[in-house]
Amino acid sequence: MKCSTCQAKAAIEIRRHNAAFCGPCFTAHLERQVQRTIESERMLDPGERVLVAVSGGKDSLCLWEILRRQGYETTGLHLDLGIDGYSPEGRKKTEAYAELHGLPLQVIEVRQETGFTIPELADRTRRPPCSGCGLSKRYLMNRAALEGGFPVLATGHNLDDVAAILLGNVLRWQVEQLSRMTPVRPASHPRLVKTVKPLIRVTEREAVAYCLLRVLDYHEDECPNAAGATLLLYKDIVNQIEAVSAGTKQAFYQEFVKKLQPRLAAGETFTLRECEVCGQATTREVCAYCRMMERARQKTVQRGRVTRTVLEVPPA
Ligand code: AMP
Ligand code: FES
Ligand code: ZN
């Protein structure tokens, strides 16, 4: 197989584009594609300060590298989730990348910020770790962007991520979530920052190939809480369909965003206001994050009482 651009020996085939590339042409192709996504979706303006959410995994390091190479003024944001055997490595890889390129990086330790690590939060609230984790990440990322005065926050969600999330939302007809599934979420309230997903046309496989070719040292492990998660099943199903019908994955997401999402969004009628506890944007009196944290704190207090009672019982 030959490179579609320079006719050298191809290193990677992209079936949905009916193309193959050698290493250098592939990295150039991917960078061009991300830049085109940024421009066509009006994600970033030249010279705009961007806060990039970086976990240390392949997608977010690939994103940071591309934005850096394209000349955007980036600051990294890493959330240390406090997951034993997993979080330290992601933090190390993120810090190493920032140091190598002399880029600013903000690290937020979730435990220091909230009083709980993600596993402790899951235990206290009896919610699956991924649900409390997702909510905390969105909340803390938005707050960090607002406090740092960043007009935009970029995440490394790739095509596999958004196609799997879309399938999950369709299977349960989660209309509210579907109506918000856009590559760009505008700042629809003064306490919400604009968020963008520049990698929506890049697959997981392409992000890995890019990291290998650019020699980016990324954290390879999956979060231990993801094992058995339905999102992985949905990714697998979408990939099985893609294997027999190349291009379906991209069409599934892109055509949804073009044809259905605007209609769903037009039917949405909710008003955002400020959370009575923290001031961030919410549709309720108190936002979902503050409600979750209150439950976690109550559980901790209850447990404290139980522990004291047990201690006060004299030994038999
Ligand atoms: P995930 O929800 O783990 O698939 O991650 C989606 C995107 O969220 C990543 O590509 C990152 O941009 C961002 N992200 C996930 N985990 C972290 C983290 N611990 N710190 C900073 N950003 C993160
Ligand atoms: Fe959040 Fe795994 S990354 S629970
Ligand atoms: Zn709140």
Side-chain angles (χ1 to χ4, degrees), residues 53-55 59-60 77-79 81 137 141 154-157 161:
V54 186
S55 63
D59 303 311
S60 46
L77 169 67
H78 178 79
L79 304 178
L81 307 169
K137 279 196 246 181
M141 284 177 193
T155 61
H157 291 92
D161 294 328

Side-chain angles (χ1 to χ4, degrees), residues 30-70:
L30 205 83
E31 284 158 11
R32 229 176 13 247
Q33 199 176 38
V34 172
Q35 182 58 27
R36 249 189 259 139
T37 306
I38 290 173
E39 285 167 13
S40 66
E41 303 286 342
R42 302 215 181 116
M43 292 185 167
L44 312 171
D45 290 328
E48 200 170 41
R49 288 173 70 231
V50 192
L51 187 63
V52 190
V54 186
S55 63
K58 59 185 181 327
D59 303 311
S60 46
L61 278 182
C62 165
L63 172 63
W64 206 4
E65 171 76 0
I66 294 177
L67 294 181
R68 182 186 72 79
R69 283 179 174 268
Q70 305 284 3

Side-chain angles (χ1 to χ4, degrees), residues 81 83 86 118 129-134 137 223-226:
L81 307 169
I83 302 172
Y86 173 71
I118 291 299
C130 297
S131 120
C133 178
K137 279 196 246 181
C223 167
N225 299 318

Side-chain angles (χ1 to χ4, degrees), residues 196-217:
V196 298
K197 299 183 177 73
L199 299 191
I200 44 154
R201 289 181 195 136
V202 175
T203 64
E204 218 154 89
R205 173 174 167 263
E206 290 155 23
V208 170
Y210 184 85
C211 287
L212 295 175
L213 289 162
R214 286 274 180 229
V215 201
L216 302 179
D217 186 17

